[in-house]
Amino acid sequence: MAGTELSVPSEQFTKIKAWELMPPKALEVVQEEGACRGREHLGPGNVEAQGTYGLLEAKMLEGERGLVLTTEESEKHIVTLQTVHFSSEDVQLQDVGWLTPQGREGVQGAVRQASGGEQSLLWLDDGSQQCVAISIQEDTYTLQELEVMQLHILEVSVAAASEDTKFVLEKGQGEDQPSAEGGFRAQTQEQFFLVEAKPGDEGSDEIVLTISNLNVGEQEDRPASGQGRVEKANSTNNQKKAKEAKQPFCCDSCVFTSSRISSFNRHMKTHSTEKPHMCHLCLKAFRTVTLLRNHINTHTGTRPYKCGDCVMAFVTSGELVRHRRYKHTHEKPFKCSICKYASVEASKLKRHTRSHTGERPFQCSLCSYASKDTYKLKRHMRTHSGEKPYECHVCHTRFTQSGTMKIHVLQKHSKNVPKYQCPHCATIIARKSDLRVHLRNLHTYKATEMKCRYCTAVFHERYALVQHQKTHKNEKRFKCEYCSYACKQERHMTVHIRTHTGEKPFTCVSCNKCFRQKQLLNVHFRKYHDADFIPTVYQCPKCSKSFSRWNNMQRHCAKCDAGQGKPAASGKVRRVKRRKLAILKEAGKEDAPKDATKEVSAVSVKQYPGEMVPVCYGGVAVGNKGLDEDLSCEMILQMMDK
DNA sequence: ATTAAAAGCGCCCTCTGCTGGACCTCA
DNA sequence: ATGAGGTCCAGCAGAGGGCGCTTTTAAT
């Protein structure tokens, strides 16, 4: 038998819908049902058989429907099938797998040519002892169209070779030569088939062929029903692969196929739920003793398979082989057909392939994210749950990923923190990814020119531009034409020139006082004409001394040892320190203690009668109340003296 | 029936790279 | 004071390595 070379009994092609015992009068019953009326029983002379691949040619009588291949006696078994269509994609299967050279010879080119109208394959099988593969011309058939047709016996297989069946086909009467008379021969007698064509399920485009083995009594020892040699067929599905095309036995419970009935039967046991061997430790059950033994080894830690190149040991030989490939031999049998990737395990190649196909089978139930493998989905789910399973052992900060925590520990708690030196400049960056950003931002060539803001130089690299502009930093490019004054900015020079020209273009709208700079006018106006003006004050946290400028206060804090922290701004304290000092000077109190203004910072308004002045005590604003022109300098000094 | 080999599934890990907010420096 | 730009940092996802364990298949 050429069963292993032949092929294709897959769901794409055929479905055996039923297999049943037929009464002795089966033929008559069938005839009465009208499925196969007017059959012509063909004798051996009407049948060509060639090796294991016979060509049965059945011709219908004109005006009759159905096909009949028959002999003198009727077999009790009837197998009904659905036809499906064989596309050009499957041509290769025919060429490489279906037919031996003899088979091609035998069919005389009928199934050899891919382009001449492909054949659909019918797969017939009683499920236990025999199977027959035949083909018909590819097309969608009506019953009428089946009136004249060639059926090609592609295979009759199986246990045919075993002794417990009498249904063994031979190569005709000769050894290797086609029999002139043809016909399938059992070991003891010729075999013939009755083929009936009738419509499939209502609404379907299928045709159900009923094949009857016409050898009575041959199959009596067979089971009443096959082991589900049932394969779901889809007449339009032609995606089956060549490998499967060689496997006539198809499991109805899974995708398993095999060319050998023994393998098929063994496989069917795998669907059995019987697991008589139970682990006494965890009560898990297994089909075989070996499986149980391996399992128990996982409990006991017994690892009989030791690696000769390292200290690793494993429960199973397969684990050892895999380990050696990963660690020692680096053999990677599974190679990607698209790129150079190769892997030790098939599952890894499968996972890798998704990076080419973009397939993402694992969909998040809470968002649109989909993952290419289960672990990434599980990791992603932490973003929904907020789970942070990784904790820094030093600072106990928690992280969602181990890698993030590892970097955290490395950068925050390690002594020898790795740094990344930019190859183009002196910059040292803590993280490689940030170095990449640095390189991208500063050292990448830009097509568009970047101009120096100080001169006409242009650059294509940002880093070069920045470095160049720094050369302008201390450069006093603007020189006064009247004196030796020089400055960095043009606007400064403009102001300076006014000291020579006397120009004061900014005039106060309230008192007509003129200023050289707009900024000076603004200060003047706020100070003397804006009643709502509240200057900002920074207060020393230790001694509460107030300052108008942050840097001045910092300088003070450094002296009074008030600490390094940035003091909280004391708020908008009303204050006219400069005027207060002027008053003190006027009152002859220039030598007053430096902290004389600590408690009382209010001043009188002798210079500007009628103006309300703010007052604060200990740096805390107390408002304007009670402080007006009646508050004399003397009173203030008295307060200060308290 | 038994065993070895192969296949398959699952889990965890590392390395990598990108992103955006926080923070800092500087003009 | 302010905005721009750079670095720090945690979050998150892609890709792949490695192993534990079970199941299936092939060989004996």
Side-chain angles (χ1 to χ4, degrees):
Chain A
M1 284 295 136
T4 54
E5 292 181 73
L6 253 197
S7 58
V8 197
S10 62
E11 65 267 24
Q12 272 73 21
F13 308 113
T14 296
K15 174 184 178 181
I16 296 177
K17 300 182 76 176
W19 186 91
E20 59 186 85
L21 286 173
M22 287 288 288
K25 296 294 183 182
L27 278 177
E28 287 76 7
V29 173
V30 171
Q31 282 179 315
E32 288 172 7
E33 290 172 352
C36 187
R37 294 170 306 200
R39 298 173 294 254
E40 179 186 32
H41 288 222
L42 301 178
N46 297 85
V47 179
E48 282 186 16
Q50 178 103 31
T52 56
Y53 310 100
L55 169 62
L56 300 183
E57 183 175 52
K59 294 183 178 179
M60 299 296 300
L61 293 176
E62 194 168 344
E64 294 179 339
R65 298 192 302 172
L67 290 171
V68 178
L69 301 175
T70 183
T71 58
E72 306 84 13
E73 297 177 38
S74 177
E75 160 68 34
K76 289 182 179 179
H77 299 78
I78 281 185
V79 180
T80 59
L81 311 166
Q82 291 176 325
T83 66
V84 294
H85 307 299
F86 199 50
S87 76
S88 57
E89 292 179 20
D90 295 306
V91 169
Q92 185 184 0
L93 306 186
Q94 287 188 344
D95 289 342
V96 300
W98 286 18
L99 300 172
T100 65
Q102 293 97 322
R104 295 175 186 228
E105 291 279 332
V107 299
Q108 297 173 339
V111 296
R112 185 168 43 198
Q113 298 301 320
S115 60
E118 292 309 321
Q119 289 72 27
S120 297
L121 177 67
L122 296 179
W123 172 253
L124 316 182
D125 178 21
D126 71 3
S128 62
Q129 299 296 334
Q130 68 180 49
C131 53
V132 179
I134 65 177
S135 72
I136 61 177
Q137 289 182 311
E138 182 188 42
D139 204 340
T140 301
Y141 294 98
T142 64
L143 290 177
Q144 288 75 13
E145 288 169 330
L146 287 170
E147 288 178 358
V148 178
M149 180 171 288
Q150 286 186 330
L151 295 181
H152 307 288
I153 297 298
L154 299 177
E155 182 185 16
V156 180
S157 79
V158 188
S162 65
E163 292 182 2
D164 59 353
T165 175
K166 298 173 183 177
F167 191 74
V168 177
L169 299 182
E170 296 179 340
K171 298 177 179 179
Q173 294 174 342
E175 284 300 316
D176 294 322
Q177 299 301 318
S179 167
E181 297 170 351
F184 288 100
R185 301 174 66 87
Q187 286 176 324
T188 56
Q189 65 182 97
E190 294 177 339
Q191 302 290 312
F192 296 97
F193 304 90
L194 168 63
V195 182
E196 298 172 281
K198 56 187 176 183
D201 295 337
E202 190 172 350
S204 77
D205 61 351
E206 296 169 335
I207 293 172
V208 177
L209 294 188
T210 301
I211 311 295
S212 299
N213 185 319
L214 299 176
N215 295 283
V216 177
E218 296 274 339
Q219 317 266 335
E220 289 176 354
D221 294 333
R222 295 177 188 172
S225 64
Q227 270 189 313
R229 165 66 272 89
V230 179
E231 188 167 30
K232 198 72 181 174
N234 182 337
S235 63
T236 58
N237 187 351
N238 53 16
Q239 296 176 348
K240 228 26 185 185
K241 295 173 181 173
K243 182 180 175 181
E244 293 169 329
K246 297 178 181 179
Q247 311 293 323
F249 294 94
C250 303
C251 177
D252 58 341
S253 300
C254 69
V255 297
F256 173 81
T257 61
S258 174
S259 62
R260 300 174 61 169
I261 188 66
S262 58
S263 298
F264 175 74
N265 287 338
R266 187 176 55 238
H267 165 81
M268 293 308 291
K269 290 180 183 176
T270 66
H271 291 302
S272 168
T273 57
E274 186 182 10
K275 293 181 176 180
H277 306 284
M278 181 178 289
C279 172
H280 64 287
L281 295 172
C282 68
L283 304 183
K284 188 172 182 179
F286 297 86
R287 281 194 305 110
T288 70
V289 173
T290 304
L291 295 178
L292 174 60
R293 188 181 303 131
N294 281 343
H295 169 77
I296 290 177
N297 281 344
T298 67
H299 285 306
T300 63
T302 305
R303 293 167 178 265
Y305 298 92
K306 295 177 172 31
C307 177
D309 294 323
C310 67
V311 298
M312 293 290 285
F314 302 90
V315 173
T316 66
S317 60
E319 290 174 67
L320 175 59
V321 169
R322 186 178 57 181
H323 160 77
R324 288 188 53 75
R325 284 178 175 171
Y326 269 124
K327 294 295 188 181
H328 306 302
T329 68
H330 305 294
E331 180 190 359
K332 295 180 177 179
F334 302 96
K335 301 185 188 328
C336 178
S337 60
I338 299 174
C339 68
K340 293 181 179 178
Y341 175 78
S343 65
V344 170
E345 299 177 79
S347 62
K348 300 298 184 291
L349 176 59
K350 185 178 180 182
R351 185 177 63 182
H352 163 81
T353 303
R354 293 192 186 119
S355 67
H356 292 305
T357 64
E359 181 191 11
R360 292 170 178 268
F362 305 97
Q363 175 70 49
C364 174
S365 59
L366 299 175
C367 71
S368 62
Y369 174 76
S371 166
K372 293 172 182 173
D373 63 60
T374 53
Y375 178 69
K376 289 185 186 63
L377 176 59
K378 184 179 178 182
R379 189 176 63 181
H380 163 81
M381 295 309 289
R382 291 181 199 147
T383 67
H384 296 301
S385 68
E387 182 191 11
K388 294 185 175 182
Y390 304 96
E391 180 179 333
C392 172
H393 67 282
V394 179
C395 67
H396 304 291
T397 306
R398 303 193 73 90
F399 302 88
T400 57
Q401 293 186 11
S402 61
T404 308
M405 184 195 70
K406 185 181 177 182
I407 290 178
H408 160 84
V409 172
L410 194 65
Q411 300 288 345
K412 292 289 189 66
H413 307 305
S414 299
K415 290 181 179 177
N416 298 320
V417 182
K419 296 288 185 182
Y420 296 91
Q421 167 81 55
C422 174
H424 303 299
C425 67
T427 307
I428 296 175
I429 296 174
R431 299 191 182 211
K432 200 175 181 179
S433 59
D434 289 325
L435 174 60
R436 195 171 294 109
V437 174
H438 168 88
L439 290 172
R440 188 170 58 214
N441 289 342
L442 291 179
H443 298 294
T444 301
Y445 179 87
K446 302 280 177 28
T448 55
E449 292 180 341
M450 294 175 284
K451 294 179 181 176
C452 172
R453 71 175 74 165
Y454 306 118
C455 67
T456 58
V458 295
F459 300 87
H460 292 278
E461 183 195 61
R462 180 161 178 76
Y463 180 79
L465 171 66
V466 171
Q467 293 303 112
H468 166 79
Q469 288 182 157
K470 282 181 180 176
T471 65
H472 292 296
K473 186 174 181 179
N474 295 316
E475 185 180 295
K476 294 183 177 180
R477 297 179 297 123
F478 302 95
K479 294 177 173 52
C480 176
E481 58 184 297
Y482 303 107
C483 68
S484 60
Y485 175 80
C487 63
K488 301 171 190 174
Q489 297 184 32
E490 186 177 16
R491 61 190 178 95
H492 293 161
M493 180 56 67
T494 303
V495 172
H496 167 78
I497 293 293
R498 290 181 187 138
T499 65
H500 295 292
T501 63
E503 181 188 13
K504 293 184 177 180
F506 303 99
T507 303
C508 175
V509 295
S510 297
C511 65
N512 291 327
K513 190 174 176 66
C514 297
F515 300 89
R516 292 193 185 96
Q517 300 176 41
K518 186 179 181 182
Q519 182 71 9
L520 296 176
L521 171 62
N522 289 340
V523 170
H524 157 83
F525 186 83
R526 283 191 297 175
K527 189 180 288 183
Y528 302 114
H529 305 301
D530 182 1
D532 296 328
F533 173 62
I534 301 174
T536 300
V537 172
Y538 296 95
Q539 194 172 37
C540 173
K542 187 175 181 182
C543 64
S544 300
K545 186 169 182 169
S546 300
F547 299 89
S548 62
R549 293 189 179 184
W550 164 247
N551 56 348
N552 290 340
M553 188 208 67
Q554 269 198 317
R555 201 175 301 121
H556 158 81
C557 287
K559 290 179 180 177
C560 78
D561 194 27
Q564 302 299 317
K566 184 178 182 179
S570 60
K572 304 289 184 182
V573 180
R574 294 164 191 173
R575 174 179 167 279
V576 199
K577 186 177 179 180
R578 185 171 297 171
R579 289 166 60 191
K580 180 186 71 181
L581 291 174
I583 291 170
L584 290 172
K585 186 177 180 180
E586 183 180 294
K589 292 277 184 177
E590 291 172 291
D591 56 347
K594 287 187 177 179
D595 61 348
T597 60
K598 183 171 66 176
E599 296 300 325
V600 178
S601 60
V603 295
S604 107
V605 286
K606 281 188 175 177
Q607 288 179 287
Y608 305 100
E611 184 176 356
M612 298 290 289
V613 293
V615 165
C616 70
Y617 290 88
V620 179
V622 296
N624 296 330
K625 192 189 322 183
L627 294 175
D628 52 20
E629 61 271 24
D630 296 330
L631 183 65
S632 66
C633 182
E634 298 304 321
M635 293 172 65
I636 294 172
L637 293 174
Q638 286 175 9
M639 293 171 69
M640 292 173 65
D641 289 337
K642 285 180 180 177

